[in-house]
């Protein structure tokens, strides 16, 4: 939402995108509203080719995209614009304005009830779950192989 708020006014559709690693992107689609962006498509984890199909023509993409993930965008026959680099990061001022707007609308948030929104488990959580299940993380497995390799050469 904060990324979408950075988009220049006058755009009907704004796609907020973040690198999700693993060759995937976190993305949500917004429309301009009187009090700020209004989400029209829920946040999702998409591959670049899926994002290409999901973005309507004329939309602006706001957020950080690794250089290699820009190539599939836009799709043939559609125009997609990219926001200037200085608009691709959430701004504290945007969070303050959004909070003020919600407070003014009678929708205050208590800091002790605010929770993060995750589309998938974090890498640390996935590694901990794998470790508990006895599988270990791929990083741990590589580290063990490296140690064995180093010990065998000495």
């Amino acid at each position: 939402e904060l990324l979408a708020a950075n988009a220049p006014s006058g755009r009907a559709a704004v796609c907020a995108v973040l690198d999700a690693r693993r060759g995937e992107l976190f993305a949500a689609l917004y429309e301009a509203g009187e009090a700020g962006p209004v989400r029209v498509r829920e946040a999702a984890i998409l591959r670049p080719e899926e994002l290409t199909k999901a973005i309507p023509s004329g939309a602006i993409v706001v957020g950080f995209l690794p250089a290699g993930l820009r190539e599939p965008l836009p799709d043939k026959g559609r125009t997609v614009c990219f926001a200037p680099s200085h608009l691709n990061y959430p701004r504290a001022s945007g969070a303050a304005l959004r909070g003020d707007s919600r407070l003014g609308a009678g929708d205050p948030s208590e800091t002790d009830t605010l929770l993060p929104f995750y589309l998938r488990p974090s890498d640390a959580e996935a590694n901990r779950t794998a470790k508990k299940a006895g599988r270990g993380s791929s990083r741990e497995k590589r580290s063990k192989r490296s140690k064995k390799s180093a010990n065998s050469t000495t």
Side-chain angles (χ1 to χ4, degrees), residues 56-152:
S57 185
I60 185 166
V61 177
V62 180
F64 177 75
L65 280 173
L69 297 182
R70 282 185 178 233
E71 279 72 45
L73 301 172
D75 198 3
K76 294 177 184 172
R78 294 188 337 200
T79 304
V80 175
C81 300
F82 293 94
S85 60
H86 70 280
L87 298 178
N88 289 333
Y89 300 93
R91 296 178 176 177
S93 60
L97 289 170
R98 192 70 180 139
D100 185 56
S101 174
R102 285 185 178 169
L103 185 61
D107 183 23
S109 294
E110 299 297 326
T111 56
D112 59 343
T113 63
L114 295 174
L115 298 171
F117 172 70
Y118 293 105
L119 292 173
R120 68 173 177 220
S122 67
D123 288 344
E125 188 176 356
N127 288 339
R128 186 184 73 225
T129 302
K131 191 173 183 179
K132 281 183 178 180
R135 294 188 305 258
S137 71
S138 58
R139 182 178 296 173
E140 289 172 338
K141 289 175 185 175
R142 283 192 304 270
S143 178
K144 286 178 184 177
R145 281 194 300 259
S146 295
K147 287 178 184 175
K148 283 182 184 177
S149 172
N151 289 337
S152 65

Side-chain angles (χ1 to χ4, degrees), residues 5 7 21 29 38 84 107 149:
R21 296 185 175 183
L29 189 64
V38 176
D107 183 23
S149 172

